[in-house]
Amino acid sequence: MAKPFKTTIDSGIAEVILDHPPVNAFDSAGWFAIAAEIDALGENDTVRVIVIAAAGKGFCAGVDIKELAADSTKIVDVNKGNYETFRAIHRNPKPVIVALHSFVLGGGIGMAGAADIILCSDCARFGVPEIDRGAMGGGAHLQRMFPVQKVRYMYFTGEFIDAQEAYRLGAVEKVVPLEELLPAARDIAAKIAEKSPAMVRLAKEALTGIEDGNLEDKYRWEQGFTLEAYTVGDSQESRNAFVQKRDAKFDQE
């Protein structure tokens, strides 16, 4: 199976370009592959900074709902793959920059929220449509980006916010035209790559250690509710409706 990304390393900067058409939605195997790649780059002595960006229509549409619609038990593997990917970014000894464009959904939010620095194009949109897919998860990473009430609004409604709103709320370092996105990420990465690798490693460990709470533990808590959601009939109906491109019909309580 081909890897759902392409990696290059140049002048201490590793670039991981997500590339899994049509919308960079990954199945469980894809998430595990991404996690393994980011972990490996973190242990590579020639790498000083990691940039994650994407080819195609958008950054990431999250998980492959078709895999879950066909076999709901796959949620265990998907949860684990998501967890490992977000952990690999957040706990990586190297700084991780994400360069986001168009849609940043579900697992894309997890990657963004786990990163050290976020850049986005002016066409970027952020969302957690899990409530309409019969799942939970991503709130911990979203809350690392946005204020609590904004997170709850996005979570309960499934509505998106745009790049300028994300910038206004302080999650995004810079908003640029799409053609300038990767060059802008490379510029920041180059500044970091010039610093002492030992000092940068210590800085990242120190900053992660002083965060409010443990991001990985918070995400584990959320994932328990995703598993619980999958025991509810509305969860399967949500996925079926999405795959069949129709309105969901929920049981009335």
Side-chain angles (χ1 to χ4, degrees), residues 15-31:
E15 289 184 9
V16 179
I17 307 298
L18 306 178
D19 190 9
H20 186 61
V23 294
N24 289 326
F26 305 108
D27 61 14
S28 50
W31 285 109

Side-chain angles (χ1 to χ4, degrees), residues 61 63-66 68-69 105-106 125-137 152-160 226 229-230 232-250:
V63 304
D64 184 352
I65 296 298
K66 293 180 180 179
L68 295 173
L105 309 176
R125 298 178 300 143
F126 299 80
V128 278
E130 275 83 348
I131 200 164
D132 295 320
R133 307 290 184 263
M136 299 285 115
R152 294 186 181 211
Y153 180 85
M154 294 174 68
Y155 217 93
F156 295 152
T157 66
E159 293 182 5
F160 297 3
T226 291
Y230 269 59
V232 178
D234 284 353
S235 180
Q236 187 64 47
E237 168 61 11
S238 295
R239 289 186 296 281
N240 290 344
F242 176 78
V243 171
Q244 296 166 15
K245 299 181 179 179
R246 59 172 174 80
D247 292 336
K249 298 178 181 178
F250 300 123

